[in-house]
Amino acid sequence: MEKVPGEMEIERRERSEELSEAERKAVQATWARLYANCEDVGVAILVRFFVNFPSAKQYFSQFKHMEEPLEMERSPQLRKHACRVMGALNTVVENLHDPDKVSSVLTLVGKAHALKHKVEPVYFKILSGVILEVIAEEFANDFPPETQRAWTKLRGLIYSHVTAAYKEVGWVQQVPNASTPPATLPSSGP
């Protein structure tokens, strides 16, 4: 399912816009309903991410060899990571009124993934796209265009902060080896 983009597409600068008060409230209301089922939603997001973008599994020694979605769903390590991802997102969403806190959280996440885990930053963009897909499906009858736009802005904001952290630590794009497919972007929207 992976699509190999041109280098220019990966390097394209993301536009980061602050969310208005109405957009913050829309994101927080949607998130509150999603976060009520935090672990299961987080697992669904990560399983879809790894099924659709299997090259992302290379960064996870505990479950990188898992192929079957059911096996991934049952993995305690994947479930634990899903809770960490959802927890970080929850901190961001709860603090949308405080740009310094949001920046601080995302800088820590970005630096950890750059320095400790050596994860290509494009995977944040891919994962955030998967999150939007899951939200759209979970709330198919209650995800109006203005809420979708607010989430899209939040996605850009997250990616912008994370990539800024990568740049701050001097990240150099890793060259994949012959057995590792290159990082890819989803073919759908921003």
Side-chain angles (χ1 to χ4, degrees):
M1 275 234 211
E2 294 192 19
K3 176 186 160 203
V4 178
E7 287 182 35
M8 294 303 292
E9 189 174 355
I10 292 172
E11 295 298 321
R12 183 181 52 173
R13 183 78 184 148
E14 291 300 304
R15 194 178 67 211
S16 172
E17 299 177 36
E18 294 296 322
L19 277 68
S20 69
E21 182 65 25
E23 289 168 331
R24 284 193 299 271
K25 286 180 180 179
V27 165
Q28 289 170 332
T30 308
W31 180 254
R33 292 184 291 159
L34 202 64
Y35 196 67
N37 197 11
C38 168
E39 186 174 348
D40 289 338
V41 171
V43 168
I45 288 167
L46 287 185
V47 168
R48 181 177 300 190
F49 177 56
F50 293 133
V51 166
N52 291 344
F53 303 94
S55 63
K57 290 188 295 182
Q58 69 183 303
Y59 302 106
F60 298 91
S61 60
Q62 310 94 328
F63 45 89
K64 71 178 177 183
H65 299 296
M66 294 180 187
E67 297 296 328
E68 295 299 317
L70 190 56
E71 182 183 13
M72 289 182 223
E73 287 173 16
R74 293 179 177 164
S75 165
Q77 295 90 353
L78 188 137
R79 296 188 83 75
K80 184 177 176 182
H81 191 67
C83 288
R84 280 195 304 267
V85 169
M86 295 295 281
L89 282 170
N90 188 58
T91 301
V92 168
V93 170
E94 284 185 346
N95 289 286
L96 287 174
H97 65 281
D98 183 352
D100 291 336
K101 175 72 173 180
V102 169
S103 180
S104 174
V105 169
L106 294 173
T107 296
L108 288 173
V109 169
K111 286 181 178 180
H113 283 79
L115 298 172
K116 183 178 179 186
H117 307 298
K118 310 284 190 229
V119 175
E120 289 287 342
V122 71
Y123 284 108
F124 283 92
K125 183 178 215 173
I126 295 168
L127 179 61
S128 65
V130 172
I131 292 167
L132 290 182
E133 288 174 9
V134 170
I135 293 170
E137 289 170 12
E138 288 285 320
F139 302 111
N141 298 325
D142 190 21
F143 197 50
E146 58 274 6
T147 302
Q148 292 175 30
R149 283 190 296 275
W151 274 97
T152 299
K153 278 176 79 171
L154 178 59
R155 177 186 185 198
L157 185 77
I158 290 170
Y159 189 67
S160 175
H161 282 284
V162 168
T163 55
Y166 272 70
K167 286 180 179 151
E168 187 179 320
V169 298
W171 177 263
V172 176
Q173 186 172 357
Q174 306 296 302
V175 178
N177 64 38
S179 65
T180 305
T184 62
L185 295 174
S187 56
S188 62

